[in-house]
Amino acid sequence: MYIEDLLALNFMMNTALLYLTACLTGRELKMFRLASGGFLAALYSLVIFLPVAYFVFSWVGKVVASVLIVAFTFRPGRIMELLRLCGAFFLASFFLAGTVFALYFFGSTPAVVQGGVFYIAPPRPGMLFTGVLIAFILMVGVWHLSERQRRNKGLRYRLTLRSGNSRATARALVDTGNQLRDPVSGRPLNVASFRAIRDLLPQALQEAYLAGEDPVSALGELSGNEAERFGVVPFRSLENSGMLVTFRPDTVTVEEGATCGELSGLAFAITAKGLSLDNDAEILLHPSVLENIGGVGV
């Protein structure tokens, strides 16, 4: 087997695995990042020609390599998110390997095992392509079914917030326990993590959140129309209490599957902390918000 053949086959297979991982976890992945991750994983297959191949292809080496590849490709911000991505990557790997093995045993292609790695010799690209295609159809089908069941609960949405010439897209979850309201107007308040709407905030507020300083104090640096978008609201939880900065974008587009609606006048209380361990929800919607949108989750 030539090196270029080994690289090409591993690039194809690992790129497919990373794409399946992105589908399973609902992550958006740019083509360049996907291809870079697939190429890095393909380079890992060349280690078999090195003297340290035995250690690298041990179960410890394989786990470490997989974690590094997933971290490089997806750049997760939290340990829990990394573990979730790795779990999806291993699931996709086992599923795809099982599909290819099933096709292999239907034929009579000889196999080569070297350094703990299973190789099909001579290479059968058609078998690998077929295995990838079948595994992709099955896994994406299961993923779409689970997505439909989850969306049928009417709890998860995709938001696009616009403020001036800036926009931000985030995953949102309806929090039925959210009773936060503006103390002056009485309007319901949604909760957004700082990182989800960072691009919509003025530089002074971004610097305050990133430095761990009090963002309420940074509001004094704002003026004019920019200052009118922001306010403060008191909050109290089981562990602490304090003040949160509130932000009102120009418009908010709420998407649920093929249905969408647009709202204006929504306000968001900004928290510096993440809203979920796996970063699956970046905004918590007040349950009364979606009542104003016809056909979206109601």
Side-chain angles (χ1 to χ4, degrees):
M1 177 180 293
Y2 294 104
I3 290 181
E4 56 269 24
D5 295 332
L6 185 65
L7 279 174
L9 290 173
N10 278 277
F11 174 77
M12 179 191 71
M13 298 294 287
N14 286 290
T15 301
L17 286 175
L18 292 170
Y19 182 73
L20 286 172
T21 301
C23 289
L24 287 172
T25 56
R27 292 289 297 264
E28 294 182 358
L29 196 60
K30 293 183 178 179
M31 187 60 65
F32 174 77
R33 178 62 56 182
L34 177 64
S36 299
F39 182 71
L40 177 64
L43 290 178
Y44 170 69
S45 65
L46 298 182
V47 178
I48 192 174
F49 298 109
L50 300 178
V52 294
Y54 177 77
F55 170 77
V56 175
F57 281 115
S58 65
W59 71 269
V60 176
K62 292 175 182 178
V63 170
V64 171
S66 299
V67 171
L68 292 177
I69 291 168
V70 169
F72 171 81
T73 305
F74 294 95
R75 294 186 177 180
R78 297 182 176 191
I79 295 296
M80 289 299 297
E81 187 178 1
L82 175 61
L83 294 176
R84 179 169 171 257
L85 287 166
C86 288
F89 180 77
F90 287 128
L91 175 63
S93 300
F94 298 152
F95 198 93
L96 182 56
T99 304
V100 173
F101 268 107
L103 293 175
Y104 166 77
F105 285 117
F106 274 114
S108 57
T109 304
V112 173
V113 178
Q114 184 176 354
V117 181
F118 181 90
Y119 289 93
I120 296 176
R124 294 285 301 277
M127 179 184 295
L128 296 179
F129 274 113
T130 304
V132 170
L133 180 61
I134 293 175
F136 178 80
I137 293 174
L138 291 175
M139 294 198 72
V140 171
V142 172
W143 177 74
H144 276 295
L145 179 62
S146 64
E147 278 292 294
R148 189 194 314 179
Q149 291 176 340
R150 186 175 68 172
R151 286 174 177 174
N152 284 342
K153 298 178 181 179
L155 295 178
R156 297 180 184 270
Y157 300 88
R158 180 184 180 87
L159 301 189
T160 301
L161 296 81
R162 294 178 176 84
S163 180
N165 296 324
S166 302
R167 58 178 290 177
T169 302
R171 296 180 295 275
L173 172 69
V174 177
D175 182 8
T176 56
N178 179 10
Q179 300 300 320
L180 191 63
R181 290 182 177 271
D182 187 293
V184 178
S185 66
R187 289 184 176 182
L189 287 172
N190 310 285
V191 182
S193 66
F194 160 67
R195 296 192 179 279
I197 61 172
R198 172 180 175 178
D199 294 338
L200 303 180
L201 304 181
Q203 191 63 32
L205 271 177
Q206 290 190 35
E207 292 176 355
Y209 279 107
L210 291 173
E213 300 174 352
D214 182 14
V216 176
S217 301
L219 293 178
E221 302 181 30
L222 308 183
S223 61
N225 294 333
E226 186 177 56
E228 295 178 358
R229 297 180 182 275
F230 296 90
V232 293
V233 62
F235 78 95
R236 181 182 297 275
S237 66
L238 293 176
E239 298 180 354
N240 52 26
S241 61
M243 304 290 288
L244 293 176
V245 172
T246 62
F247 167 63
R248 182 170 49 83
D250 292 331
T251 60
V252 178
T253 302
V254 184
E255 300 179 38
E256 194 277 322
T259 309
C260 68
E262 187 171 288
L263 289 175
S264 59
L266 291 187
F268 296 82
I270 307 172
T271 174
K273 299 180 180 180
L275 299 177
S276 63
L277 292 177
D278 57 2
N279 204 30
D280 188 44
E282 300 168 300
I283 292 178
L284 298 180
L285 293 174
H286 193 282
S288 66
V289 168
L290 298 178
E291 296 176 0
N292 301 319
I293 306 176
V296 179
V298 295

